[in-house]
Amino acid sequence: MSEPFLPYGRQSIGDDDLAAVAEVLRGDWLTTGPAVQRFEADLAEQTGGTPAVAVTSGTAALHVAYAAAGLGPGDEVVASPMTFVATASAAALHGAKVVFADVEPDTGNLDPHAARAALTSRTKVVAAVDYAGHPAELDELRTVADSAGALLLEDAAHSIGGSWRGRPVGSLADLTTFSFFATKNLTTAEGGAVVSASERLLERARAFRNHGLVRDRAAQRYPDEGGWHQEVHAFGLNYRLPDVLCALGSSQLRRLAEFKRRRAAIHTRYDKAFADLDGVRTPVTRAGADPMWHLYPLRVLDGRRRALFDHLRGLGIGVQVNYIPVYWHPVFEDLGYRRGLCPNAERFYSEQLSLPLFPDLTESDADRVITSVRSFFGA
């Protein structure tokens, strides 16, 4: 291989990020300290003021959000299958049944009409996913969720910094979850957050991320044990994001607008380069959407996706496929789910190929990707 391997996603770490982390390491608090509150406040500036609860990963955020929603056995979650498995598995781990509804054929986002058809008297949450960073049809999905008396959850692992019809991601759903994994739009290495305008949901989220501990004497059942006393009234887990990673997150947030501009520029470059190319379809942007492009999901037609994948990987270009429909995973197959359930999602999956897209991708890197894709098609 004559050129270095080019990943499909990569973190962008600068000197300010290093300094922010070093400052925490030199201080007194490595966890549950002031950097956590600062990061949560910084996140709220991106969500129209909607408060945030920082947690250890995007998966933890989903698990915490479903706990805050009171999800349990007998409940149902209507969810998109065009996502990473955690959107569904976190609900299943609470004992709920996941009802998969099909996606829109162009965006890969949850189709409001399919979501409505999937509602039952047991639906407690409608879980939309902002696929690739393009916001879902959140107004329509809000109406769908409200019609069932359910909560609307926005899995915004791909879309922090984006907006829908002029309103920032994080301000639209009852519960919004973020991921700050290394390849995401900003990183804390591992990390995530739950966002909600509801103080009741926030309190439940805060409790679940901290073992369910109750330290407020006024709320304790046995407050006279002593000053050391704490109680657990409902089970939770340790999903606390430490100060050292929150400091990195706050530093990264200061560059989020820069990251967004660069991702958009690369996305536009790809759009123009492939506009005349037979055999592919470029991503769409719906009216009213201001995406934070996390992925560039090229659609490869005529059954040639795998051949193009192998061609590009052979040239050292780390393309990826995002995602296998969730119910194709054997763990869901073993629960009785079968292929063919969501035809649009399965067709979308069969064509989807994520091209390299990250802020530090250079112009020559992008040209290398473009030339390699076009050469495959003889263009």
Side-chain angles (χ1 to χ4, degrees):
M1 191 183 303
S2 59
E3 296 185 88
F5 182 77
L6 186 62
Y8 88 95
R10 190 178 189 278
Q11 69 275 14
S12 177
I13 301 296
D15 290 341
D16 288 346
D17 299 325
L18 299 175
V21 170
E23 182 180 357
V24 171
L25 292 173
R26 294 188 186 101
D28 295 328
W29 296 88
L30 290 184
T31 189
T32 63
V36 179
Q37 289 76 35
R38 184 165 60 249
F39 181 49
E40 290 175 342
D42 291 342
L43 282 170
E45 292 183 7
Q46 299 293 327
T47 62
T50 314
V53 177
V55 295
T56 51
S57 69
T59 300
L62 287 159
H63 201 211
V64 169
Y66 288 133
L71 201 64
D75 295 328
E76 293 182 357
V77 174
V78 174
S80 168
M82 190 48 53
T83 182
F84 185 63
V85 66
T87 311
S89 62
L93 285 168
H94 282 293
K97 177 183 177 181
V98 182
V99 180
F100 292 104
D102 212 348
V103 301
E104 298 166 335
D106 54 350
T107 64
N109 285 334
L110 182 63
D111 185 331
H113 299 290
R116 184 178 292 278
L119 296 175
T120 74
S121 61
R122 294 180 296 278
T123 303
K124 195 157 192 174
V125 176
V126 174
V129 176
D130 296 339
Y131 182 81
H134 188 296
E137 301 276 351
L138 293 161
D139 296 312
E140 291 81 356
L141 289 167
R142 161 66 71 193
T143 301
V144 170
D146 287 350
S147 72
L151 294 175
L152 177 61
L153 183 147
E154 181 183 8
D155 181 342
H158 293 180
S159 60
I160 185 171
S163 66
W164 175 247
R165 295 176 180 168
R167 293 162 293 165
V169 166
S171 67
L172 296 142
D174 296 300
L175 290 155
T176 303
T177 62
F178 293 129
S179 171
F180 309 127
F181 183 64
T183 60
K184 295 300 196 299
N185 297 320
L186 69 106
T187 188
T188 58
E190 291 278 6
V194 179
V195 174
S196 180
S198 165
E199 186 56 35
R200 180 182 66 87
L201 293 175
L202 286 172
E203 284 302 315
R204 291 171 66 101
R206 292 187 187 108
F208 192 81
R209 72 149 176 202
N210 192 29
H211 299 287
L213 290 173
V214 177
R215 295 192 171 105
D216 180 0
R217 290 173 64 85
Q220 290 176 346
R221 190 173 300 175
Y222 303 102
D224 296 329
E225 288 292 314
W228 63 86
H229 186 57
Q230 54 189 357
E231 299 175 347
V232 174
H233 295 184
F235 290 124
L237 294 166
N238 177 5
Y239 282 145
R240 300 185 300 263
L241 190 65
D243 279 52
V244 66
L245 299 185
C246 285
L248 174 58
S250 287
S251 179
Q252 287 265 300
L253 277 169
R254 289 192 284 272
R255 300 169 62 203
L256 187 62
E258 171 193 337
F259 291 161
K260 183 179 181 180
R261 285 192 295 271
R262 182 58 188 151
R263 286 177 174 274
I266 298 166
H267 195 281
T268 299
R269 190 180 185 90
Y270 285 155
D271 280 349
K272 292 178 179 178
F274 303 133
D276 66 339
L277 190 59
D278 290 335
V280 302
R281 185 179 298 130
T282 56
V284 302
T285 301
R286 291 281 182 87
D290 178 22
M292 173 57 148
W293 288 115
H294 166 59
L295 301 174
Y296 187 88
L298 188 70
R299 304 281 291 279
V300 186
L301 310 179
D302 305 319
R304 304 189 73 188
R305 191 268 307 275
R306 183 166 184 170
L308 180 57
F309 177 95
D310 291 340
H311 170 76
L312 294 173
R313 282 291 184 104
L315 294 174
I317 297 173
V319 290
Q320 186 57 279
V321 171
N322 303 95
Y323 300 92
I324 295 172
V326 173
Y327 56 84
W328 282 23
H329 288 285
V331 67
F332 282 98
E333 185 178 59
D334 292 347
L335 292 172
Y337 297 84
R338 293 293 179 262
R339 298 188 180 202
L341 181 62
C342 296
N344 288 343
E346 295 184 20
R347 187 177 307 110
F348 193 101
Y349 158 70
S350 72
E351 298 173 350
Q352 195 276 340
L353 189 68
S354 297
L355 303 184
L357 179 63
F358 51 92
D360 293 342
L361 192 80
T362 66
E363 298 302 312
S364 61
D365 289 335
D367 286 343
R368 176 183 166 195
V369 175
I370 291 165
T371 299
S372 300
V373 171
R374 291 185 67 86
S375 69
F376 174 82
F377 290 98

